[in-house]
Amino acid sequence: MNNHYQTIILGGGVSGLSFARTLQKLDPGHDFAVIEQSSRPGGAVGTHQENGFIVELGPHGFLDNCPESQQLLKDIGLDHKCVKAPLSKFVRYVYLNGKLNLIPQTPRKILMAPLISWPDKLRILGDLCKPPLQGEPTVAKWVDYRFGPALLPYLDAVFTGTYAGDFNRLTIDSVMPGVRSLEKEYGSVLKGLLARMKAARKEGKVNNRQGLPAMTSFGDGMHTLVTTMSSSLSQGENLFVNSEVTSIDRTSDGWSVTTATRSVSTTNLVLCLPINSTLELLAPLDPELPLKSVPQTWITTVAFGFTDDVVIPPGFGFLTPEQENRFLLGTLFSSNMFPDRTPKGHVLIETLVGGRRHPERLALDDKTLTQKALSDVSDILGITKLPVYSRVLRPTSGIPQLEQNYPQLLHWRDEFTRKNPGLFICGFGWGGIGLNDMIKTSVRLAGELADGCARKMDAEIKKIYF
């Protein structure tokens, strides 16, 4: 390791690797180093392969609707190696009232589907005459206020599937700031959406993308992404693993980074770490830090392989709202989405346990977890045979929960980096938890560093997919 670099990137997960790759592209001669605490780059992304079954340790994929992610795939040569499961062809379910309910993804089909009563559907139009809800309401409180209680079980499923969270704790300003801004600007979400659509048509900015996005992965699993992203880095030259950073400090001309073995200096410091790791390093530098940490939750995957005479419903899988009192948060029909994840003649499902509401379930031993998960999924799907394969995969990374005061933390980050030129902050939990969120932010910040010009990013109006 050199004594000085133009840029040091802390964290070799998706954010750090995206930042490094973009920097290499925009400024090939840039002298940088990636410092990673663990023994390998990749962060939360990882894949477990055993007996012909391929199971994800972290995220199972990402949607192909983010231009920054799609460009990155082209840059690293993976754009033609993707395996895709289009949302338009794969149905999704919410387990509600003791049965699987198929969820359409287009507004017209959702409107016509018998998911809620017609009076409850008309209640959704109440959004047009409801003033903005003040304060920092939870997702549950906000949805109930704007659209009525009938939607709550379905939104519970959405945020269980996305954050493994509790929508009675997640705040709408934190998880959907774009939608919240519509409410505040136009007095109604529906009015805001109509106004934005009208303005886009007037300016000729109509999105020509046809259809729904697709869930994207790779034949050998998601580890292909981080392995390929890190292939341009050389260990001992610009990638250093097993290097825990113990402190960072401001200097007269940049930053110093101290690891367990040495201290190095840098002009630019990029924190591509999980949000709580970043806060821990920055806390000594600012006594006005609004939060010392954000809540985290964990989920465990219990995978089951069956012979293919066990019939799995078509589609992606199902989610279970809390009111159903089930052991599982949900189940992915993995071999439906990506058929090459099993030996020939088999099917694979991955059940998810734990989350913000039930951390105590993660303390169960593997045998008990397997028994309870199998009992639950067999009852829901009507499976009568025993699996030929099972595996409990426990988490290595927690999922940040974007709850009370999170928007204030983002505001603090923006102000802190403005006051400290050469400091860039992104990573897991900063502005979102999805792979697309992390790649999009990292690419933008790497561009800012390379050309020295700030690039504004407005709050995105995210669509909801089950």
Side-chain angles (χ1 to χ4, degrees), residues 442-462:
S442 297
V443 168
R444 176 177 64 85
L445 291 181
E448 290 184 8
L449 190 155
D451 60 27
C453 181
R455 301 178 180 181
K456 183 180 179 182
M457 186 169 68
D458 295 325
E460 181 182 359
I461 301 174
K462 295 183 178 181

Side-chain angles (χ1 to χ4, degrees), residues 50-356:
E50 181 181 21
N51 299 336
F53 291 94
I54 299 176
V55 184
E56 298 295 355
L57 295 164
H60 288 73
F62 55 100
L63 295 178
D64 66 348
N65 58 358
C66 174
E68 290 82 0
S69 298
Q70 296 307 298
Q71 183 60 52
L72 178 64
L73 292 179
K74 291 181 181 179
D75 292 342
I76 62 178
L78 285 182
D79 52 322
H80 296 301
K81 298 180 181 179
C82 298
V83 181
K84 296 190 176 186
L87 269 62
S88 59
K89 296 181 179 179
F90 286 80
V91 297
R92 283 70 56 195
Y93 306 91
V94 170
Y95 183 80
L96 188 62
N97 300 321
K99 65 177 183 178
L100 294 179
N101 296 267
L102 189 152
I103 309 296
Q105 294 288 10
T106 63
R108 184 184 66 82
K109 290 182 178 180
I110 289 175
L111 180 64
M112 299 306 297
L115 300 174
I116 60 175
S117 69
W118 277 103
D120 287 324
K121 292 177 183 179
L122 294 174
R123 167 62 184 85
I124 294 173
L125 297 177
D127 166 76
L128 296 170
C129 57
K130 287 269 189 178
L133 191 58
Q134 299 303 308
E136 192 181 345
T138 65
V139 172
K141 182 178 180 180
W142 185 83
V143 170
D144 187 17
Y145 172 79
R146 296 224 66 85
F147 303 109
L151 294 183
L152 291 179
Y154 299 100
L155 268 296
D156 186 359
V158 167
F159 289 98
T160 294
T162 305
Y163 292 90
D166 180 353
F167 76 161
N168 288 299
R169 295 180 180 179
L170 297 168
T171 65
I172 192 67
D173 298 79
S174 301
V175 299
M176 300 191 76
V179 171
R180 181 69 156 147
S181 69
L182 289 181
E183 178 199 25
K184 293 179 177 179
E185 181 178 355
Y186 296 95
S188 157
V189 175
L190 296 179
K191 288 179 182 177
L193 289 173
L194 291 172
R196 292 284 179 93
M197 292 169 60
K198 183 178 179 180
R201 285 195 297 268
K202 186 176 180 180
E203 297 173 10
K205 296 181 179 179
V206 178
N207 187 354
N208 293 321
R209 179 187 177 91
Q210 298 296 318
L212 294 164
M215 181 64 74
T216 303
S217 185
F218 307 92
D220 289 333
M222 286 295 295
H223 78 101
T224 299
L225 176 64
V226 292
T227 300
T228 306
M229 289 173 69
S230 62
S231 63
S232 65
L233 305 177
S234 299
Q235 289 201 32
E237 295 182 13
N238 57 6
L239 171 63
F240 299 91
V241 297
N242 295 314
S243 298
E244 180 181 1
V245 173
T246 56
S247 68
I248 59 174
D249 291 288
R250 196 74 168 102
T251 65
S252 59
D253 58 354
W255 299 84
S256 68
V257 176
T258 302
T259 70
T261 58
R262 66 182 303 167
S263 180
V264 293
S265 64
T266 180
T267 304
N268 304 298
L269 178 61
V270 188
L271 301 181
C272 293
L273 301 167
I275 189 169
N276 282 346
S277 297
T278 298
L279 294 177
E280 184 178 353
L281 287 174
L282 292 178
L285 303 182
D286 190 349
E288 297 182 1
L289 185 67
L291 290 174
K292 295 297 179 67
S293 66
V294 301
Q296 292 188 97
T297 193
W298 286 260
I299 54 174
T300 285
T301 297
V302 187
F304 296 107
F306 298 91
T307 54
D308 61 7
D309 54 344
V310 171
V311 179
I312 304 299
F316 279 119
F318 66 85
L319 293 166
T320 55
E322 178 68 10
Q323 71 180 51
E324 293 300 300
N325 295 314
R326 284 292 185 172
F327 184 73
L328 302 176
L329 299 177
T331 296
L332 296 168
F333 303 155
S334 304
S335 54
N336 284 359
M337 295 186 288
F338 309 120
D340 294 332
R341 296 292 171 94
T342 69
K344 185 177 180 180
H346 293 78
V347 296
L348 173 68
I349 61 176
E350 295 174 64
T351 63
L352 308 175
V353 179
R356 184 74 163 111

